[in-house]
Amino acid sequence: MTAALLGFALFALLVTIAPGPDTLLVLRNCLRGGRRAGAASAVGSAVGSMAWAVAAAAGLAAALQRWDAAFMTVRLVGAAYLVVLGAQALWTYRRAATGSTEAMGEPDGGDLTAVRAARAFRQGLYSCLLNPKVGIFFVAVVPQFLPEGHSVLGVTLLFGVIDAVIAAGWLLLVAVCAGRLLQWLRRPKVHRNLERGTGGVLLALGIGTAAETLRA
């Protein structure tokens, strides 16, 4: 059992540290709302991952994999969400490039910070929930690590907790590191380039996912 847990944890870590939409959201929200917003995005992504683990344990993710129409719908909705996030980032870049943005700084009011953190949490959560590949990851990978003689439901949930903790830990580390660089990241030129870069990548991911789904 210990070997299975360690093996899955290592595999989950390797998958988690690969740059993807979750990492981009954390960086983007650190820039817009500070370290707290970035951390909120990280926690939201981890909660979404845990939700998919519960779904996989209950057999829902496997059913989604077999039901092509449902899988396509969820992927298209997720792709549209990434396109919206990317378009928002590019719009922010366009406004900054024309000099119409206000000077950036740390939020002063506690309520404003709380709202931004709540919104960042929802973005991280939705980004993960609207990505059925996370559920398919559990369906495809978990059986490779299941130890004999143990409850499939219990072990799958335990793997889900491990994956969520690893995801939260890595993304929180990204948020902390980005938070230490906020003064540099908020320089107008750096800010514009980061918004343009993350916006372009998110937009490309959304369009690519939609195109791949429609071709399938």
Side-chain angles (χ1 to χ4, degrees):
M1 181 67 172
T2 302
L5 293 177
L6 292 176
F8 177 81
L10 178 59
F11 186 85
L13 177 62
L14 293 174
V15 172
T16 298
I17 62 178
D22 293 339
T23 305
L24 291 174
L25 279 177
V26 170
L27 289 173
R28 176 172 173 266
N29 286 330
C30 272
L31 180 64
R32 290 189 165 191
R35 191 180 303 172
R36 180 177 295 183
S41 293
V43 174
S45 295
V47 172
S49 177
M50 187 63 214
W52 272 116
V54 173
L60 297 181
L64 186 64
Q65 187 180 28
R66 291 192 299 267
W67 189 16
D68 292 340
F71 182 77
M72 179 179 292
T73 300
V74 174
R75 287 202 72 185
L76 288 175
V77 172
Y81 186 64
L82 290 177
V83 169
V84 169
L85 291 177
Q88 287 177 345
L90 290 176
W91 175 249
T92 300
Y93 161 74
R94 181 176 180 276
R95 291 179 59 201
T98 57
S100 60
T101 52
E102 298 179 358
M104 301 194 68
E106 289 288 346
D108 294 325
D111 292 339
L112 181 59
T113 303
V115 170
R116 287 183 175 178
R119 182 180 180 185
F121 174 85
R122 290 195 300 270
Q123 287 181 344
L125 176 65
Y126 296 159
S127 176
C128 189
L129 289 180
L130 292 175
N131 183 6
K133 286 186 176 181
V134 179
I136 304 306
F137 164 80
F138 282 103
V139 173
V141 172
V142 165
Q144 314 304 320
F145 294 93
L146 284 176
E148 295 182 4
H150 291 79
S151 166
V152 174
L153 175 63
V155 174
T156 301
L157 290 176
L158 180 57
F159 283 170
V161 172
I162 292 173
D163 182 69
V165 170
I166 290 174
W170 171 254
L171 293 174
L172 285 171
L173 179 62
V174 171
V176 169
C177 292
R180 294 182 181 276
L181 297 174
L182 276 180
Q183 186 174 359
W184 177 75
L185 290 173
R186 282 178 168 162
R187 292 177 180 176
K189 184 177 180 179
V190 175
H191 170 241
R192 290 196 302 268
N193 289 335
L194 186 59
E195 287 286 358
R196 180 177 59 181
T198 56
V201 172
L202 289 171
L203 199 62
L205 284 172
I207 294 174
T209 299
E212 180 184 348
T213 302
L214 293 174
R215 282 200 308 266

